[in-house]
Amino acid sequence: MPMTPPLQLRVRAITWEAEGILGFELVPLSANTLLPPVVAGAHINLQLQPGLLRSYSLLNAPGERQRYNIAVNRDAHSRGGSRHLHTQVRPGDVLEVSPPANNFPLDEAAPHSLLIAGGIGITPILAMARRLSALGRPWQGVYAARSRASAAFVPTLQALADEAGAGMQLHFDDEHGGRPLDLAAVVAAAPHDAHLYCCGPLPMLGAFEAASAGWPRPQVHLEYFAAKDAPATAGGYTVTLQRSGRSVAVLPGQSLLASVRSLGIEPPYSCEQGICGTCEVRVLAGTPDHRDLVLSDAEKAANDRMMICCSGAQSATLVIDL
């Protein structure tokens, strides 16, 4: 499958959005160039340095083609991406950016949508609120953060809710004795035909999954910003790259991605945690050991594709389309 060529975008502006959060506006080098359109829930990959490719959700209005807007939280446990953007990138810099991809799509036909965000998880949720408002579809928003100071885009989200006549619940842990949002109560109060969306930190997503366990799976949507499970590094199998005509033994302690790269082959990858979908490949033979948070349970059961950054093999051999 041919790769879509990356875009060259200029950092037009960097803005302070909240405590520890910066906004970045990325525009084409030519004012006459139209970008691939923004879609609610989509993300882009930024090539920050050689070997440093990171994914960030788009937050601007779906349909926009003049710019991409992202917001980046300075993560204390950063593996390089947020730290680099906060400390090294400046207005005027040119970045290599992928066209938008979407692992967190919005069902625009849903009779009601409940949009739940935690911390920097507001970015795709804000784009969804913008899209639903533009369509005149009913939605309700819930936004939780550690504090008001660390919550970005609150006035924007509140204005959208007010204009659309949507309910908006704000929860700041430090104003509730450090207690997190009661997601079980939030989900229980949702209309039974609502589609539920959640993006935020791991504890929030775990609570959301527990609260929505009894809901029909097609009505439950979530996006992770960090891995939930350990990557598959047990090794002990052989992977064959069909198009390249190469094979390599995956050794204990080594990931499938690292084994492929040891052959001098550089497949696309970004998060290395199984959350962005950049490294997805087709599986031609064998049984994967899925560890990603991109594929649905049904897609994993089909065993016809996998994320090679975190997943491995349950079978002794694996053949993939590389």
Side-chain angles (χ1 to χ4, degrees):
M1 183 184 300
M3 292 297 299
T4 304
L7 309 166
Q8 299 295 318
L9 302 184
R10 190 180 307 281
V11 180
R12 182 179 182 274
I14 300 176
T15 54
W16 183 93
E17 300 297 348
E19 189 176 273
I21 298 176
L22 295 179
F24 295 80
E25 181 182 359
L26 309 175
V27 298
L29 301 186
S30 168
N32 298 322
T33 300
L34 291 178
L35 299 172
V38 174
V39 179
H43 67 271
I44 53 175
N45 294 328
L46 273 60
Q47 185 74 60
L48 301 174
Q49 287 181 323
L52 185 60
L53 185 74
R54 292 293 181 264
S55 300
Y56 297 98
S57 295
L58 292 167
L59 60 91
N60 43 318
E64 273 199 59
R65 303 193 65 181
Q66 291 76 30
R67 61 178 182 167
Y68 291 151
N69 287 104
I70 61 172
V72 181
N73 180 50
R74 176 68 186 270
D75 187 350
H77 306 291
S78 171
R79 295 177 300 116
S82 68
R83 181 174 61 246
H84 182 89
L85 281 163
H86 273 248
T87 63
Q88 302 299 317
V89 174
R90 297 291 181 266
D93 289 354
V94 175
L95 302 177
E96 188 174 286
V97 179
S98 73
N102 201 349
N103 302 321
F104 191 39
L106 176 67
D107 186 337
E108 298 179 352
H112 188 87
S113 298
L114 175 61
L115 310 178
I116 305 171
I120 195 61
I122 187 60
T123 49
I125 294 298
L126 180 56
M128 290 179 174
R130 285 175 159 146
R131 179 59 176 166
L132 291 169
S133 293
L135 293 172
R137 306 295 297 178
W139 62 275
Q140 177 186 355
V142 179
Y143 185 16
R146 294 186 306 275
S147 65
R148 287 183 186 272
S150 63
F153 309 112
V154 171
T156 302
L157 191 60
Q158 188 64 65
L160 275 171
D162 292 345
E163 185 176 347
M168 173 55 58
Q169 178 182 350
L170 300 174
H171 177 99
F172 305 112
D173 295 355
D174 65 346
E175 298 178 11
H176 293 81
R179 293 190 305 276
L181 174 70
D182 186 349
L183 273 169
V186 169
V187 171
H192 294 303
D193 57 355
H195 278 239
L196 314 178
Y197 299 84
C198 186
C199 185
L202 285 174
M204 168 179 263
L205 290 168
F208 173 75
E209 288 191 280
S212 61
W215 284 67
R217 290 300 89 191
Q219 291 175 226
V220 179
H221 316 267
L222 68 167
E223 183 168 60
Y224 281 83
F225 283 162
K228 183 170 66 170
D229 300 316
T233 56
Y237 61 94
T238 298
V239 60
T240 296
L241 313 185
Q242 182 73 20
R243 281 187 283 125
S244 304
R246 307 281 297 278
S247 294
V248 63
V250 181
L251 304 176
Q254 196 172 42
S255 71
L256 174 51
L257 174 62
S259 301
V260 169
R261 295 184 67 207
S262 73
L263 297 174
I265 295 170
E266 288 291 334
Y269 68 96
S270 175
C271 69
E272 299 182 69
Q273 300 183 79
I275 58 175
C276 73
T278 302
C279 67
E280 180 180 317
V281 300
R282 289 196 304 135
V283 176
L284 306 178
T287 305
D289 177 8
H290 296 287
R291 302 290 180 94
D292 69 276
L293 293 167
V294 175
L295 299 177
S296 67
D297 290 342
E299 289 168 334
K300 289 176 180 177
N303 285 327
D304 58 1
R305 47 190 169 135
M306 68 184 297
M307 308 301 151
I308 62 172
C309 71
C310 64
S311 300
Q314 297 181 20
S315 52
T317 59
L318 193 67
V319 182
I320 58 177
D321 185 24
L322 273 179

